[in-house]
């Protein structure tokens, strides 16, 4: 199974298998599908238009011959828990229903010719997994068991029905013993259907059909199984036919203790002059009814809601994009894919030379059409990327490159505690993230009085105490970068820029009020930390993730106004050697100077000594209660000191956990009170 581009670009028909499976599952109206032989590395997920794929396999360095997974309809993701643990042969999906939780096991058993040790290990792991599921919860085992259970229901009355097929083999003996021990039943043998619908795989030499893919459940849940049969018309490029089971279940949504975020605004529509004008007119009407109150929090809530509601009504909601070559040319691919499916079904029902030749011709037609559609798509996309690069449109160029790479595969791994123990419980994983971030953001940095006394005394800068002007606020809005993630208020920078003519004056009045009172609403200072993997090291280690703070864009504007004033002070305090985080300076200048020193020392044959100091997490370790040097308070006017303290003193609160199926996108939501420099994403206090 290939979720993105194939390793060999000539094999266009082998790429985007998930898109093909997505279409087949949609056609057959299947809610949950178990996948085997995925052969994908590690564990992860990938979202298609109708289904989300989850998988579990070996690591990237190991040889991957097996692998299991699930395909879950996107509308049912809210009813399932996050997948944790599992192996390359067994994976468990837990779903909430009206009668309780239901456990689906995707199973891929060793072949008949595998070693006895491999079979023993598999069935021991399977028995352990089944034993851990409470008796009060339903369980369904689905997959390729590589076992022929036969039709001797009299010898196995506890687990076989009257409608079995074939004879028993060694793997079937092992499976039936496991079923008898745990009270499981082979549903394929309990429901009457056509002989062709009982079998799922045909031996390549003997041409005999066998029943290897099974659906197993507890005897108490047999009444919920309405039908189990094979669908030979399912075309997923595999020699096994799809086995489907119709089960009477009523999924229920799993409610989390987190507040649902606001829908994102379609920022692409801000370039439409008509919609931009509609936004300005709607905003002016809402701001005309602004309450006359001295409460900054109430004023900010009204201003925030007015901006967001006006932008949502004018620009609309942001839609998900899924523009890859298979979806873009589906109208052209659908007829040849349907013809191939019909040819495959005819060959399975009547294997002969004519049906085999027809199937080969249909496959060749699909391959030719796929290559033609892919070439057309890639040529247009490459031209688009090249045009954006030639015009200096960097954002458009990177968006084109992102489109070319296809849907993003999200890799996941269970967290490990400091002791090395793997954590599978979701609440314990959340607690692990809480401890990690509390350790980062609760470190006390000790500054001695001697270091403070060594600081030079500078004259007081009274101009820093003046109320911010309208020009400063306008410049701060103009300097905002587009395309950045917004905070809790869900107001993107594009909305502030395009509606600046109407937003500027109310924002300035609100900023003046905050400046005079020395109070900034807490909502503007809250930051949601999103964890991103650094693409190195163990995924189970919290230290290998980078925390990105999603801050309020309006809060960033206010912080930029304060930062622009502090930069004038910083130019007096910073040493000449300071280049990073400084205007008109760059660390590239220091690297250039170092290269010059190396060249000169080589020319003059002089020794050169370099010392590299690695400050581990230097910008992730802020002081919870920073000490304010007396020299700073004598340098900055007292009103400015109050503003800076209000914007920088932190408090940490653990709010909630936001868990998405197949990944831990927002491991824990830590509210960080404050932001000094909006340019430093990893830490608002850096």
């Amino acid at each position: 199974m290939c979720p993105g581009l194939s390793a060999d670009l000539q094999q266009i028909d082998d790429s985007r298998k998930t898109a093909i499976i997505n279409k087949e599952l949609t056609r057959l109206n299947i809610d949950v599908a178990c996948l085997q032989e995925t052969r994908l590395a590690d564990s992860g997920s990938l979202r298609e238009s109708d289904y989300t794929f989850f998988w579990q396999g070996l690591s990237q360095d190991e040889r991957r011959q097996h692998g299991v997974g699930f395909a879950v309809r996107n509308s049912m993701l809210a009813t399932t828990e996050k997948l944790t643990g599992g192996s390359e042969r067994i994976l468990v999906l837990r779903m909430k229903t009206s009668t309780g939780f239901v456990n689906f096991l995707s199973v891929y058993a060793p072949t008949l010719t595998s070693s006895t040790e491999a079979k023993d290990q598999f069935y021991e792991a399977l028995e352990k997994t089944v034993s851990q599921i409470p008796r009060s919860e339903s369980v369904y085992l689905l997959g390729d068991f590589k076992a022929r259970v036969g039709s001797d229901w009299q010898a196995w009355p506890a687990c076989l029905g009257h409608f079995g097929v074939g004879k028993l083999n060694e793997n079937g003996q092992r499976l039936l013993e496991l079923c008898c021990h745990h009270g499981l039943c082979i549903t394929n043998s309990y429901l009457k259907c056509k002989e062709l619908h009982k079998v799922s795989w045909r031996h390549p030499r003997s041409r005999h059909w066998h029943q290897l893919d099974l659906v197993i459940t507890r005897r108490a849940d047999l009444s919920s199984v309405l039908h189990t049969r094979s669908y030979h018309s399912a075309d997923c490029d595999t020699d096994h036919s799809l086995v489907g089971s119709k089960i009477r279940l009523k999924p229920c949504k799993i409610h989390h203790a987190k507040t649902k975020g606001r829908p994102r605004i379609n920022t692409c529509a801000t370039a439409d002059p008509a919609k931009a004008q509609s936004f300005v007119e709607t905003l002016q009407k809402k701001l005309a009814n602004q309450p006359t109150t001295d409460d900054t929090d109430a004023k900010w809530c009204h201003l925030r809601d007015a901006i967001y509601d006006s932008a949502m009504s004018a620009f609309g909601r942001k839609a998900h994009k899924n523009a890859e070559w298979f979806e873009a040319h589906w109208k052209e691919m659908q007829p040849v894919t349907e013809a191939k499916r019909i040819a495959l079904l005819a060959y399975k029902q009547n294997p002969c030379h004519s049906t085999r030749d027809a199937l080969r011709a249909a496959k060749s037609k699909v391959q030719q059409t796929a290559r033609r559609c892919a070439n057309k798509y890639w040529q247009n996309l490459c031209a688009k990327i090249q045009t954006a690069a030639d015009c200096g449109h960097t954002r458009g160029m990177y968006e084109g490159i992102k489109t070319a790479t296809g849907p993003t595969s999200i890799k996941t791994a269970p967290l490990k505690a400091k002791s090395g123990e793997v954590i599978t419980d979701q609440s314990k994983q959340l607690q692990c993230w809480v401890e990690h971030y509390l350790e980062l953001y609760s470190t006390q940095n000790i500054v001695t009085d001697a270091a403070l006394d060594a600081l030079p005394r500078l004259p007081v800068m009274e101009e820093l105490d003046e109320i911010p002007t309208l020009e400063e606020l306008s410049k701060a809005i103009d300097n905002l970068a587009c395309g950045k993630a917004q905070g809790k208020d869900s107001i993107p920078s594009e909305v502030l820029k395009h509606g600046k003519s109407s937003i500027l004056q109310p924002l300035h009045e609100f900023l003046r009020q905050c400046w005079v009172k020395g109070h900034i609403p807490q909502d503007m200072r809250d930051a949601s930390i999103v964890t991103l993997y650094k693409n190195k090291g163990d995924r189970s280690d919290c230290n290998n993730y980078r925390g990105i703070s999603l801050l309020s864009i309006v809060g960033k504007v206010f912080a930029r106004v304060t930062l622009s004033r502090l930069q004038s002070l910083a130019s007096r305090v910073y040493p000449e050697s300071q280049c990073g985080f400084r205007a008109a300076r760059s660390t590239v200048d220091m690297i250039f100077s170092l290269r010059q020193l190396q060249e000169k020392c080589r020319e003059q044959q002089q020794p050169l000594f370099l010392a590299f100091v690695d400050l581990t997490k230097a910008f992730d370790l802020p002081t919870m209660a920073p000490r304010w040097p007396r020299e700073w308070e004598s340098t900055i006017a007292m009103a400015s000191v109050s503003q800076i303290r209000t914007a920088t003193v932190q408090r940490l609160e653990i709010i909630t956990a936001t868990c998405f199926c197949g990944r831990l996108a927002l491991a824990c939501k830590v509210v960080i009170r404050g932001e000094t420099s909006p340019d430093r994403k990893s830490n608002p206090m850096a």
Side-chain angles (χ1 to χ4, degrees):
M1 189 177 80
C2 182
L5 293 178
S6 175
D8 183 7
L9 293 182
Q10 297 298 325
Q11 300 294 330
I12 298 297
D13 58 327
D14 288 338
S15 64
R16 302 295 293 115
K17 290 293 185 185
T18 50
I20 298 174
I21 298 174
N22 179 85
K23 294 294 182 182
E24 284 297 297
L25 296 181
T26 304
R27 183 181 66 85
L28 297 172
N29 193 26
I30 293 175
D31 294 319
V32 180
C34 295
L35 311 173
Q36 289 80 39
E37 288 189 89
T38 55
R39 298 178 183 177
L40 296 175
D42 302 319
S43 60
S45 64
L46 183 139
R47 187 183 180 98
E48 290 287 354
S49 57
D50 302 300
Y51 291 84
T52 298
F53 293 81
F54 305 93
W55 65 84
Q56 177 71 47
L58 297 176
S59 63
Q60 188 74 34
D61 302 330
E62 298 181 74
R63 185 180 180 183
R64 303 184 299 277
Q65 293 180 325
H66 317 303
V68 290
F70 287 97
V72 184
R73 193 185 293 272
N74 291 336
S75 59
M76 299 185 65
L77 288 177
T79 66
T80 61
E81 289 186 351
K82 190 181 82 70
L83 280 72
T84 56
S87 64
E88 73 277 6
R89 289 191 179 274
I90 303 173
L91 187 62
V92 183
L93 175 70
R94 200 160 180 256
M95 178 184 293
K96 185 180 180 182
T97 65
S98 57
T99 57
F101 280 95
V102 175
N103 298 270
F104 295 97
L105 273 68
S106 181
V107 180
Y108 183 67
T111 60
L112 189 63
T113 57
S114 299
S115 63
T116 305
E117 182 182 0
K119 296 178 183 178
D120 292 341
Q121 291 178 353
F122 166 76
Y123 280 99
E124 287 175 3
L126 182 59
E127 183 171 5
K128 181 180 178 182
T129 304
V130 175
S131 302
Q132 291 175 348
I133 299 175
R135 298 291 299 179
S136 59
E137 298 182 3
S138 302
V139 58
Y140 294 91
L141 286 75
L142 308 95
D144 183 6
F145 287 88
K146 298 289 193 300
R148 287 184 285 170
V149 294
S151 57
D152 191 1
W153 61 272
Q154 294 177 340
W156 304 91
C159 53
L160 269 184
H162 292 208
F163 305 103
V165 62
K167 296 181 180 180
L168 182 69
N169 65 358
E170 180 190 352
N171 283 0
Q173 175 85 16
R174 288 173 175 266
L175 181 60
L176 290 177
E177 290 176 358
L178 176 70
C179 292
C180 288
H181 180 68
H182 291 280
L184 302 174
C185 299
I186 312 292
T187 63
N188 306 60
S189 62
Y190 279 85
L191 301 167
K192 187 177 180 179
C193 59
K194 296 180 180 179
E195 290 297 323
L196 187 60
H197 294 167
K198 295 180 181 180
V199 292
S200 61
W201 179 76
R202 185 173 59 187
H203 197 281
R205 292 188 298 274
S206 67
R207 314 299 260 177
H208 291 163
W209 284 94
H210 299 285
Q211 186 186 58
L212 302 182
D213 305 272
L214 307 173
V215 180
I216 305 174
T217 187
R218 289 181 176 141
R219 176 168 290 275
D221 298 321
L222 270 178
S223 58
S224 300
V225 181
L226 305 180
H227 198 48
T228 300
R229 54 156 293 188
S230 300
Y231 293 88
H232 299 285
S233 63
D235 180 18
C236 297
D237 288 338
T238 175
D239 57 345
H240 287 252
S241 298
L242 178 68
V243 176
S245 184
K246 191 174 182 180
I247 304 173
R248 188 187 293 112
L249 293 175
K250 185 180 180 181
C252 297
K253 183 179 179 181
I254 300 177
H255 296 279
H256 299 283
K258 85 173 191 71
T259 17
K260 190 176 181 180
R262 290 182 169 185
R264 295 189 176 184
I265 299 172
N266 183 19
T267 55
C268 298
T270 55
D272 189 347
K275 293 183 177 180
Q277 182 62 30
S278 173
F279 165 66
V280 172
E281 294 174 356
T282 308
L283 181 61
Q284 288 177 349
K285 293 179 181 179
K286 289 183 177 293
L287 293 179
N289 301 325
Q290 189 171 1
T292 55
T293 176
D294 294 335
D295 187 1
T296 54
D297 293 327
K299 197 169 185 178
W300 160 243
C301 289
H302 179 271
L303 184 61
R304 176 197 61 197
D305 295 339
I307 297 174
Y308 177 82
D309 295 340
S310 302
M312 183 59 71
S313 61
F315 304 127
R317 184 173 180 173
K318 183 179 180 180
H320 292 284
K321 296 181 180 179
N322 191 17
E324 42 85 31
W325 74 266
F326 191 85
E327 292 288 342
H329 296 85
W330 174 241
K331 290 184 178 180
E332 191 174 351
M333 288 290 300
Q334 185 176 10
V336 293
T337 305
E338 182 67 19
K340 176 191 171 186
R341 187 183 64 82
I342 295 174
L344 176 64
L345 180 61
Y347 177 68
K348 286 184 177 181
Q349 293 176 346
N350 182 24
C352 59
H353 291 288
S354 60
T355 56
R356 182 189 62 187
D357 294 340
L359 178 59
R360 288 179 177 176
K363 285 184 176 181
S364 177
K365 182 67 174 177
V366 170
Q367 187 179 31
Q368 293 174 5
T369 307
R371 287 182 175 176
R372 182 175 66 254
C373 294
N375 289 336
K376 186 190 304 182
Y377 176 81
W378 294 122
Q379 288 175 1
N380 295 337
L381 184 59
C382 291
K384 180 181 177 181
I385 295 173
Q386 187 62 46
T387 303
D390 295 340
C391 298
H393 187 199
T394 308
R395 181 181 177 185
M397 181 184 68
Y398 281 106
E399 285 182 353
I401 295 174
K402 186 177 180 181
T403 304
T405 57
T408 305
S409 299
I410 303 168
K411 300 293 185 66
T412 58
L415 292 178
K416 290 182 180 179
K418 293 183 179 180
S419 59
E421 179 186 359
V422 177
I423 306 174
T424 56
D425 185 71
Q426 184 177 346
S427 59
K428 292 183 179 179
Q429 286 185 352
L430 174 61
Q431 185 61 31
C432 182
W433 282 112
V434 170
E435 294 174 357
H436 173 70
Y437 280 109
L438 283 177
E439 182 180 352
L440 288 180
Y441 291 101
S442 300
T443 304
Q444 290 288 345
N445 295 333
I446 301 175
V447 181
T448 61
D449 293 334
L452 296 177
D453 295 336
L455 295 175
R457 295 182 177 273
L458 301 175
V460 177
M461 301 178 65
E462 296 289 348
E463 59 272 18
L464 296 181
D465 198 18
E466 297 177 358
I467 295 178
T469 62
L470 199 65
E471 290 74 17
E472 288 180 298
L473 184 61
S474 176
K475 185 179 178 181
I477 294 177
D478 293 336
N479 291 335
L480 288 175
C482 296
K484 298 297 182 180
Q486 56 270 17
K488 291 173 60 178
D489 54 13
S490 301
I491 301 176
S493 57
E494 290 86 350
V495 171
L496 297 181
K497 285 190 170 185
H498 286 82
K500 192 177 73 169
S501 57
S502 301
I503 297 175
L504 186 59
Q505 187 62 38
L507 273 183
H508 182 248
E509 294 177 0
F510 178 63
L511 175 58
R512 289 169 58 95
Q513 184 176 346
C514 293
W515 189 272
V516 172
K517 288 195 170 186
H519 172 73
I520 298 176
Q522 201 62 62
D523 188 45
M524 295 175 58
R525 292 182 280 157
D526 290 349
S528 301
I529 297 182
V530 180
T531 56
L532 299 179
Y533 180 57
K534 296 179 181 178
N535 291 325
K536 62 179 181 180
D538 188 6
R539 289 182 179 270
S540 302
D541 189 0
C542 295
N543 294 311
N544 293 326
Y545 288 82
R546 178 179 291 107
I548 304 297
S549 299
L550 302 184
L551 301 161
S552 169
I553 301 296
V554 180
K556 285 186 177 182
V557 172
F558 285 17
R560 284 182 181 274
V561 173
T562 307
L563 181 63
S564 61
R565 296 195 173 191
L566 291 178
Q567 284 175 345
S568 59
L569 171 64
S571 60
R572 302 168 57 185
V573 177
Y574 283 160
E576 187 62 28
S577 58
Q578 174 70 32
C579 287
F581 304 105
R582 195 172 182 182
R585 301 287 187 94
S586 173
T587 52
V588 177
D589 300 332
M590 301 301 291
I591 296 175
F592 175 76
S593 302
L594 180 60
R595 290 292 302 270
Q596 292 292 317
L597 287 174
Q598 287 179 328
E599 293 178 4
K600 296 302 179 182
C601 289
R602 277 192 173 188
E603 291 176 1
Q604 301 179 11
Q605 297 182 354
Q606 295 293 328
L608 178 63
F609 301 95
L610 300 176
F612 294 92
V613 180
D614 185 11
L615 300 178
T616 304
K617 299 179 184 177
F619 302 109
D620 289 337
L621 299 174
T623 303
M624 293 296 296
R627 291 189 61 183
W628 292 87
R630 295 183 298 273
E631 289 75 9
W632 284 30
E633 296 190 359
S634 62
T635 303
I636 311 174
M638 293 308 299
S640 299
V641 170
S642 175
Q643 291 298 321
I644 298 171
R645 280 179 169 171
T646 303
T648 57
V649 175
Q650 296 185 339
R651 274 194 307 115
L652 296 180
E653 288 184 10
I654 308 307
I655 299 299
T656 183
T658 305
C659 297
F660 298 92
C661 286
R663 64 177 178 133
L664 192 63
L666 190 60
C668 65
K669 194 174 181 184
V670 182
V671 174
I672 302 170
R673 314 297 188 182
E675 177 196 10
T676 301
S677 172
D679 298 326
R680 302 186 184 181
K681 299 178 182 178
S682 61
N683 173 23
M685 283 290 294

